[in-house]
Protein backbone atom coordinates (compact mmCIF):
# COMPACT_ATOMS: atom_id res chain seq x y z
CA UNK A 1 0.00 0.00 0.00
CA UNK A 2 1.36 3.45 -1.00
CA UNK A 3 0.24 6.12 1.44
CA UNK A 4 0.46 9.89 1.68
CA UNK A 5 0.26 11.66 5.01
CA UNK A 6 -2.19 14.56 5.01
CA UNK A 7 -2.18 17.23 7.73
CA UNK A 8 -4.52 20.06 8.64
CA UNK A 9 -3.39 22.70 11.11
CA UNK A 10 -4.50 26.11 12.27
CA UNK A 11 -1.01 27.54 12.78
CA UNK A 12 -2.32 30.75 14.40
CA UNK A 13 -1.52 34.08 12.80
CA UNK A 14 1.39 33.01 10.61
CA UNK A 15 0.93 36.27 8.75
CA UNK A 16 2.69 38.15 11.55
CA UNK A 17 5.98 36.37 10.80
CA UNK A 18 6.65 38.09 7.47
CA UNK A 19 7.98 41.36 6.16
CA UNK A 20 7.91 42.35 2.48
CA UNK A 21 10.04 44.01 -0.22
CA UNK A 22 11.74 41.59 -0.31
CA UNK A 23 9.77 38.83 1.40
CA UNK A 24 11.58 37.75 4.55
CA UNK A 25 10.96 37.09 8.22
CA UNK A 26 10.67 40.02 10.58
CA UNK A 27 13.73 40.68 12.76
CA UNK A 28 14.14 37.94 15.33
CA UNK A 29 13.72 40.29 18.30
CA UNK A 30 10.36 41.59 17.04
CA UNK A 31 7.10 40.41 18.62
CA UNK A 32 4.04 39.35 16.66
CA UNK A 33 1.32 41.95 16.33
CA UNK A 34 -1.38 39.47 17.39
CA UNK A 35 0.26 36.75 19.49
CA UNK A 36 2.74 39.15 21.13
CA UNK A 37 5.26 36.30 20.98
CA UNK A 38 8.85 36.60 19.82
CA UNK A 39 9.01 36.10 16.03
CA UNK A 40 12.10 33.86 16.09
CA UNK A 41 10.50 31.62 18.73
CA UNK A 42 7.32 31.32 16.68
CA UNK A 43 9.20 30.40 13.50
CA UNK A 44 11.22 27.80 15.42
CA UNK A 45 8.15 26.21 17.01
CA UNK A 46 5.86 26.23 13.96
CA UNK A 47 8.62 24.74 11.81
CA UNK A 48 9.39 22.24 14.57
CA UNK A 49 5.83 20.93 14.49
CA UNK A 50 5.73 20.76 10.68
CA UNK A 51 9.06 18.93 10.49
CA UNK A 52 8.19 16.44 13.23
CA UNK A 53 4.73 15.61 11.91
CA UNK A 54 6.37 15.08 8.51
CA UNK A 55 3.28 15.13 6.30
CA UNK A 56 3.31 15.09 2.50
CA UNK A 57 0.42 17.56 2.21
CA UNK A 58 -0.33 20.42 4.59
CA UNK A 59 -3.41 22.62 4.69
CA UNK A 60 -2.60 25.57 6.93
CA UNK A 61 -5.32 27.75 8.38
CA UNK A 62 -4.40 31.28 9.51
CA UNK A 63 -1.46 31.13 7.14
CA UNK A 64 0.26 34.10 5.48
CA UNK A 65 -1.66 36.10 2.91
CA UNK A 66 0.71 35.54 -0.02
CA UNK A 67 1.86 32.36 -1.74
CA UNK A 68 5.40 33.76 -1.80
CA UNK A 69 5.41 34.05 2.01
CA UNK A 70 4.26 30.47 2.56
CA UNK A 71 6.80 29.29 0.00
CA UNK A 72 9.51 31.23 1.85
CA UNK A 73 8.60 29.50 5.11
CA UNK A 74 8.76 26.02 3.57
CA UNK A 75 11.93 26.81 1.59
CA UNK A 76 13.85 28.20 4.56
CA UNK A 77 12.48 26.41 7.63
CA UNK A 78 11.04 23.03 6.59
CA UNK A 79 12.81 19.87 5.48
CA UNK A 80 12.38 18.85 1.85
CA UNK A 81 11.23 20.63 -1.30
CA UNK A 82 7.70 22.02 -1.55
CA UNK A 83 5.08 23.54 -3.83
CA UNK A 84 2.88 26.10 -2.07
CA UNK A 85 -0.26 28.10 -2.80
CA UNK A 86 -2.42 30.52 -0.79
CA UNK A 87 -6.04 31.57 -1.17
CA UNK A 88 -5.52 35.14 -0.10
CA UNK A 89 -8.19 36.45 2.26
CA UNK A 90 -6.30 39.02 4.28
CA UNK A 91 -4.45 38.37 7.53
CA UNK A 92 -5.91 34.89 8.08
CA UNK A 93 -5.59 33.14 4.73
CA UNK A 94 -5.63 29.43 3.93
CA UNK A 95 -2.57 27.83 2.37
CA UNK A 96 -1.52 24.46 1.02
CA UNK A 97 1.94 22.93 0.75
CA UNK A 98 2.70 19.73 -1.15
CA UNK A 99 6.01 17.93 -0.87
CA UNK A 100 7.81 17.98 -4.22
CA UNK A 101 10.39 15.32 -3.43
CA UNK A 102 7.93 12.57 -2.55
CA UNK A 103 8.23 9.59 -4.87
CA UNK A 104 4.45 9.16 -4.71
CA UNK A 105 3.46 12.42 -6.38
CA UNK A 106 3.59 13.73 -9.94
CA UNK A 107 6.44 15.94 -11.09
CA UNK A 108 4.24 19.03 -10.70
CA UNK A 109 1.74 17.76 -8.13
CA UNK A 110 -0.13 20.91 -7.06
CA UNK A 111 -2.75 22.92 -8.92
CA UNK A 112 -4.33 25.88 -7.16
CA UNK A 113 -7.69 26.76 -8.67
CA UNK A 114 -8.35 30.47 -8.99
CA UNK A 115 -11.95 30.90 -7.86
CA UNK A 116 -12.45 33.79 -10.26
CA UNK A 117 -11.10 32.21 -13.43
CA UNK A 118 -10.99 28.40 -13.14
CA UNK A 119 -14.06 26.96 -14.81
CA UNK A 120 -15.40 24.61 -12.13
CA UNK A 121 -13.87 26.54 -9.21
CA UNK A 122 -16.02 29.54 -10.14
CA UNK A 123 -18.98 27.58 -8.74
CA UNK A 124 -17.27 27.63 -5.36
CA UNK A 125 -16.67 31.35 -5.72
CA UNK A 126 -20.34 31.97 -6.45
CA UNK A 127 -21.41 29.69 -3.58
CA UNK A 128 -19.31 31.67 -1.10
CA UNK A 129 -20.31 35.15 -2.22
CA UNK A 130 -22.70 37.17 -0.08
CA UNK A 131 -25.97 35.26 0.29
CA UNK A 132 -29.35 35.51 1.99
CA UNK A 133 -30.83 32.95 4.37
CA UNK A 134 -33.55 33.03 7.00
CA UNK A 135 -31.63 31.89 10.09
CA UNK A 136 -34.20 33.23 12.59
CA UNK A 137 -37.28 31.44 11.23
CA UNK A 138 -39.03 34.81 11.10
CA UNK A 139 -39.65 34.90 7.33
CA UNK A 140 -36.99 37.61 6.97
CA UNK A 141 -33.93 36.78 4.88
CA UNK A 142 -30.72 37.80 6.65
CA UNK A 143 -27.59 38.72 4.68
CA UNK A 144 -24.55 36.50 5.32
CA UNK A 145 -21.03 36.39 3.97
CA UNK A 146 -17.88 34.28 4.21
CA UNK A 147 -15.14 36.17 6.02
CA UNK A 148 -12.55 34.12 4.11
CA UNK A 149 -12.82 32.49 0.69
CA UNK A 150 -12.11 28.74 0.64
CA UNK A 151 -8.94 27.29 -0.81
CA UNK A 152 -9.55 24.94 -3.74
CA UNK A 153 -6.66 22.82 -5.00
CA UNK A 154 -5.87 19.53 -6.71
CA UNK A 155 -3.01 17.14 -5.98
CA UNK A 156 -1.82 14.76 -8.70
CA UNK A 157 -0.17 11.45 -7.78
CA UNK A 158 2.58 9.62 -9.62
CA UNK A 159 0.05 7.03 -10.80
CA UNK A 160 -1.97 9.86 -12.42
CA UNK A 161 -4.75 9.96 -9.82
CA UNK A 162 -6.28 13.24 -8.62
CA UNK A 163 -7.31 14.33 -5.14
CA UNK A 164 -9.27 17.56 -4.74
CA UNK A 165 -9.00 19.60 -1.54
CA UNK A 166 -11.15 22.39 -0.15
CA UNK A 167 -9.78 24.28 2.83
CA UNK A 168 -12.12 26.44 4.91
CA UNK A 169 -11.98 28.76 7.89
CA UNK A 170 -15.50 29.57 9.02
CA UNK A 171 -16.90 32.20 11.37
CA UNK A 172 -15.40 32.18 14.85
CA UNK A 173 -17.86 31.67 17.67
CA UNK A 174 -15.38 32.77 20.35
CA UNK A 175 -16.34 35.73 22.55
CA UNK A 176 -13.34 37.19 24.33
CA UNK A 177 -14.73 40.45 25.68
CA UNK A 178 -16.63 40.82 28.93
CA UNK A 179 -20.22 41.99 28.45
CA UNK A 180 -23.61 41.87 30.11
CA UNK A 181 -25.01 38.31 30.07
CA UNK A 182 -28.04 38.95 27.85
CA UNK A 183 -25.79 40.63 25.28
CA UNK A 184 -23.28 37.77 25.59
CA UNK A 185 -25.98 35.19 24.85
CA UNK A 186 -27.33 37.23 21.95
CA UNK A 187 -23.86 37.40 20.42
CA UNK A 188 -23.26 33.67 21.03
CA UNK A 189 -26.56 32.78 19.35
CA UNK A 190 -25.77 35.08 16.42
CA UNK A 191 -22.35 33.49 15.91
CA UNK A 192 -23.88 30.00 15.79
CA UNK A 193 -26.42 31.13 13.22
CA UNK A 194 -23.63 32.51 11.03
CA UNK A 195 -21.68 29.24 11.20
CA UNK A 196 -24.77 27.17 10.39
CA UNK A 197 -25.60 29.50 7.49
CA UNK A 198 -22.08 29.21 6.04
CA UNK A 199 -22.06 25.41 6.37
CA UNK A 200 -25.53 25.09 4.85
CA UNK A 201 -24.63 27.39 1.96
CA UNK A 202 -21.41 25.53 1.19
CA UNK A 203 -23.30 22.24 1.23
CA UNK A 204 -26.32 23.15 -0.92
CA UNK A 205 -24.61 25.62 -3.25
CA UNK A 206 -21.46 23.63 -4.00
CA UNK A 207 -20.90 20.24 -2.36
CA UNK A 208 -24.16 18.65 -3.50
CA UNK A 209 -23.27 19.58 -7.06
CA UNK A 210 -19.67 18.34 -6.73
CA UNK A 211 -20.85 14.99 -5.36
CA UNK A 212 -23.38 14.43 -8.17
CA UNK A 213 -21.74 16.12 -11.16
CA UNK A 214 -20.35 13.60 -13.66
CA UNK A 215 -17.15 15.66 -13.99
CA UNK A 216 -16.30 15.55 -10.29
CA UNK A 217 -18.30 12.93 -8.38
CA UNK A 218 -15.68 10.21 -8.82
CA UNK A 219 -12.73 12.42 -7.84
CA UNK A 220 -12.04 11.95 -4.11
CA UNK A 221 -12.54 15.16 -2.14
CA UNK A 222 -11.27 16.38 1.21
CA UNK A 223 -13.09 19.25 2.89
CA UNK A 224 -11.05 20.40 5.84
CA UNK A 225 -10.30 23.33 8.04
CA UNK A 226 -11.12 25.24 11.17
CA UNK A 227 -14.90 24.98 11.02
CA UNK A 228 -15.24 26.48 14.50
CA UNK A 229 -17.87 23.91 15.35
CA UNK A 230 -18.08 20.38 16.67
CA UNK A 231 -20.74 17.65 16.37
CA UNK A 232 -23.97 17.84 18.33
CA UNK A 233 -25.69 20.86 19.83
CA UNK A 234 -24.25 23.25 22.36
CA UNK A 235 -26.66 25.46 24.31
CA UNK A 236 -26.95 28.08 21.58
CA UNK A 237 -27.31 25.48 18.84
CA UNK A 238 -30.18 23.88 20.75
CA UNK A 239 -32.11 27.11 20.27
CA UNK A 240 -31.79 26.93 16.49
CA UNK A 241 -31.84 23.11 16.31
CA UNK A 242 -28.85 23.03 13.98
CA UNK A 243 -25.19 22.04 14.04
CA UNK A 244 -22.85 23.67 11.56
CA UNK A 245 -20.44 20.80 10.96
CA UNK A 246 -23.28 18.31 10.67
CA UNK A 247 -24.96 20.51 8.05
CA UNK A 248 -21.67 20.54 6.17
CA UNK A 249 -21.32 16.76 6.38
CA UNK A 250 -24.73 16.33 4.76
CA UNK A 251 -28.33 15.30 5.17
CA UNK A 252 -29.51 11.93 6.49
CA UNK A 253 -32.03 12.06 3.62
CA UNK A 254 -29.15 11.84 1.12
CA UNK A 255 -26.82 9.35 2.82
CA UNK A 256 -24.83 8.70 -0.37
CA UNK A 257 -23.84 12.38 -0.43
CA UNK A 258 -22.68 12.66 3.18
CA UNK A 259 -19.03 13.27 4.03
CA UNK A 260 -17.10 11.05 6.40
CA UNK A 261 -15.00 12.37 9.29
CA UNK A 262 -11.58 10.78 9.81
CA UNK A 263 -11.65 11.27 13.59
CA UNK A 264 -15.07 9.69 14.02
CA UNK A 265 -13.80 6.69 12.09
CA UNK A 266 -11.05 5.93 14.62
CA UNK A 267 -13.35 5.89 17.66
CA UNK A 268 -14.08 2.46 19.13
CA UNK A 269 -17.50 0.97 18.48
CA UNK A 270 -18.79 1.80 21.97
CA UNK A 271 -17.99 5.49 21.58
CA UNK A 272 -19.46 5.51 18.06
CA UNK A 273 -22.68 3.95 19.33
CA UNK A 274 -23.03 6.58 22.06
CA UNK A 275 -21.75 9.43 19.85
CA UNK A 276 -19.20 10.01 22.60
CA UNK A 277 -16.72 12.59 21.28
CA UNK A 278 -15.38 13.71 24.65
CA UNK A 279 -11.83 12.52 23.95
CA UNK A 280 -11.63 14.50 20.69
CA UNK A 281 -10.42 18.09 20.85
CA UNK A 282 -8.20 20.12 18.54
CA UNK A 283 -7.97 23.44 20.38
CA UNK A 284 -7.32 24.42 23.96
CA UNK A 285 -7.57 27.99 25.22
CA UNK A 286 -7.84 29.99 28.42
CA UNK A 287 -11.39 31.38 28.60
CA UNK A 288 -11.31 34.95 30.00
CA UNK A 289 -15.04 34.85 30.68
CA UNK A 290 -14.61 31.95 33.12
CA UNK A 291 -11.52 32.97 35.09
CA UNK A 292 -9.16 31.78 32.33
CA UNK A 293 -10.22 28.18 32.82
CA UNK A 294 -8.92 26.10 29.93
CA UNK A 295 -11.58 24.95 27.51
CA UNK A 296 -11.23 22.16 24.97
CA UNK A 297 -12.99 22.12 21.61
CA UNK A 298 -13.11 19.84 18.56
CA UNK A 299 -13.35 22.44 15.79
CA UNK A 300 -10.74 21.36 13.20
CA UNK A 301 -12.01 18.62 10.90
CA UNK A 302 -10.91 16.48 7.97
CA UNK A 303 -14.03 15.43 6.06
CA UNK A 304 -13.99 13.24 2.97
CA UNK A 305 -16.19 12.09 0.11
CA UNK A 306 -17.27 8.49 -0.27
CA UNK A 307 -16.61 8.22 -4.01
CA UNK A 308 -14.14 5.39 -3.43
CA UNK A 309 -13.86 2.85 -0.61
CA UNK A 310 -10.95 2.74 1.80
CA UNK A 311 -8.95 5.59 0.30
CA UNK A 312 -8.56 7.58 3.51
CA UNK A 313 -8.24 6.71 7.18
CA UNK A 314 -6.15 6.47 10.36
CA UNK A 315 -7.09 9.92 11.58
CA UNK A 316 -5.07 11.34 14.46
CA UNK A 317 -5.02 14.54 16.50
CA UNK A 318 -1.38 15.33 17.27
CA UNK A 319 -1.26 16.42 20.89
CA UNK A 320 1.86 14.43 21.79
CA UNK A 321 5.06 14.40 19.75
CA UNK A 322 6.92 11.20 18.84
CA UNK A 323 9.24 11.52 21.86
CA UNK A 324 6.26 11.59 24.23
CA UNK A 325 6.43 15.31 25.00
CA UNK A 326 3.24 17.36 24.72
CA UNK A 327 3.19 19.67 21.72
CA UNK A 328 2.32 22.69 23.85
CA UNK A 329 5.35 22.07 26.08
CA UNK A 330 7.86 21.25 23.35
CA UNK A 331 6.62 23.96 20.96
CA UNK A 332 4.78 26.43 23.23
CA UNK A 333 4.92 29.35 20.78
CA UNK A 334 3.44 27.47 17.83
CA UNK A 335 -0.36 27.46 18.07
CA UNK A 336 -3.32 26.88 20.39
CA UNK A 337 -4.62 24.30 17.89
CA UNK A 338 -3.39 20.75 17.35
CA UNK A 339 -2.66 19.32 13.88
CA UNK A 340 -5.06 16.69 12.54
CA UNK A 341 -3.60 14.04 10.24
CA UNK A 342 -4.73 11.05 8.21
CA UNK A 343 -3.33 8.65 5.62
CA UNK A 344 -4.36 8.49 1.98
CA UNK A 345 -4.01 5.25 0.02
CA UNK A 346 -3.13 6.53 -3.44
CA UNK A 347 -3.77 3.13 -5.01
CA UNK A 348 -7.44 3.55 -4.09
CA UNK A 349 -7.91 7.10 -5.33
Amino acid sequence: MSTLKFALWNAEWMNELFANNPIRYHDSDKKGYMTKQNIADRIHDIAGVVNEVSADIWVLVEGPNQTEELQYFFDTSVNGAWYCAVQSSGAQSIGIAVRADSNLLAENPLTWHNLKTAEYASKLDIATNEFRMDTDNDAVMEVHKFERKPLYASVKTKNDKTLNIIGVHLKSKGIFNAMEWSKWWSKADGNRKKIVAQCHQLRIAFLDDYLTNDETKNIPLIVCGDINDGPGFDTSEMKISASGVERLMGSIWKPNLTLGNVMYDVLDEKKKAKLDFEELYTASFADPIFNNKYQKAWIDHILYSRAKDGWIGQGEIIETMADGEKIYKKYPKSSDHFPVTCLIDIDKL
Side-chain angles (χ1 to χ4, degrees):
M1 180 173 69
S2 301
T3 59
L4 293 169
K5 190 173 186 179
F6 179 93
L8 160 73
W9 191 28
N10 182 324
E12 191 181 11
W13 288 103
M14 279 188 75
N15 196 56
E16 69 180 14
L17 305 180
F18 301 93
N20 289 298
N21 298 319
I23 289 173
R24 64 195 187 282
Y25 292 134
H26 281 298
D27 294 340
S28 59
D29 59 348
K30 185 178 177 65
K31 292 186 181 295
Y33 63 88
M34 287 302 298
T35 66
K36 310 305 180 187
Q37 302 285 356
N38 178 272
I39 291 292
D41 290 342
R42 291 217 69 218
I43 294 167
H44 173 273
D45 285 7
I46 294 172
V49 172
V50 172
N51 282 319
E52 281 208 46
V53 172
S54 192
D56 301 289
I57 304 170
W58 282 91
V59 171
L60 292 170
V61 179
E62 295 193 25
N65 65 6
Q66 296 182 65
T67 293
E68 292 80 8
E69 291 170 330
L70 187 62
Q71 190 71 58
Y72 182 85
F73 170 76
F74 274 86
D75 286 346
T76 60
S77 302
V78 179
N79 301 331
W82 297 84
Y83 291 92
C84 297
V86 167
Q87 177 62 50
S88 184
S89 296
Q92 290 186 326
S93 296
I94 305 168
I96 185 170
V98 177
R99 189 147 187 170
D101 53 352
S102 168
N103 62 2
L104 298 177
L105 294 174
E107 184 175 352
N108 294 297
L110 176 63
T111 301
W112 169 72
H113 300 293
N114 187 318
L115 300 187
K116 296 294 184 184
T117 59
E119 183 176 357
Y120 190 80
S122 64
K123 294 184 180 182
L124 183 57
D125 182 54
I126 293 169
T128 53
N129 284 338
E130 185 176 280
F131 64 98
R132 295 177 181 270
M133 187 178 297
D134 179 10
T135 52
D136 293 322
N137 292 319
D138 59 359
V140 176
M141 303 293 281
E142 290 81 32
V143 177
H144 296 280
K145 66 177 182 178
F146 284 76
E147 290 76 19
R148 292 161 286 263
K149 282 285 187 178
L151 169 87
Y152 190 25
S154 297
V155 175
K156 184 79 73 174
T157 67
K158 195 171 184 177
N159 59 351
D160 205 31
K161 299 291 185 65
T162 298
L163 167 66
N164 284 338
I165 299 167
I166 295 174
V168 299
H169 187 188
L170 300 187
K171 176 73 179 78
S172 172
K173 61 185 177 185
I175 303 173
F176 299 106
N177 297 316
M179 58 185 68
E180 191 271 330
W181 269 113
S182 63
K183 185 176 180 181
W184 191 96
W185 278 111
S186 177
K187 188 172 182 64
D189 293 348
N191 287 345
R192 302 315 191 277
K193 291 174 184 176
K194 290 177 182 178
I195 293 171
V196 170
Q198 289 175 342
C199 289
H200 186 71
Q201 175 71 4
L202 189 55
R203 163 54 68 168
I204 64 169
F206 181 78
L207 290 176
D208 281 350
D209 179 81
Y210 181 100
L211 297 168
T212 55
N213 191 306
D214 288 339
E215 294 182 18
T216 54
K217 66 181 182 181
N218 293 318
I219 302 174
L221 174 71
I222 286 177
V223 180
C224 65
D226 182 352
I227 297 172
N228 273 307
D229 189 47
F233 295 167
D234 62 22
T235 304
S236 285
E237 288 168 341
M238 288 179 185
K239 297 180 183 180
I240 58 176
S241 299
S243 162
V245 70
E246 292 177 6
R247 285 282 182 92
L248 187 61
M249 291 175 69
S251 170
I252 59 172
W253 302 108
K254 300 176 182 178
N256 58 315
L257 300 185
T258 59
L259 300 175
N261 188 311
V262 298
M263 291 312 304
Y264 171 81
D265 293 346
V266 298
L267 292 174
D268 62 40
E269 293 305 316
K270 185 176 180 180
K271 291 184 184 297
K272 286 181 179 178
K274 293 184 177 181
L275 298 180
D276 179 0
F277 307 122
E278 187 175 353
E279 69 182 50
L280 301 178
Y281 62 96
T282 59
S284 178
F285 59 93
D287 191 337
I289 304 300
F290 296 98
N291 298 318
N292 286 315
K293 179 181 178 181
Y294 269 83
Q295 306 285 354
K296 297 177 179 179
W298 180 23
I299 55 178
D300 305 275
H301 300 267
I302 299 175
L303 311 177
Y304 63 89
S305 68
R306 304 179 188 275
K308 309 284 178 69
D309 292 329
W311 67 273
I312 188 170
Q314 298 187 47
E316 183 179 4
I317 297 170
I318 309 295
E319 182 183 0
T320 304
M321 306 311 295
D323 60 3
E325 191 169 1
K326 295 293 185 182
I327 192 172
Y328 48 81
K329 290 185 177 180
K330 190 170 186 179
Y331 299 111
K333 306 297 175 59
S334 59
S335 176
D336 56 357
H337 290 244
F338 303 135
V340 186
T341 67
C342 63
L343 298 182
I344 297 168
D345 184 345
I346 67 170
D347 296 322
K348 296 183 178 180
L349 288 178

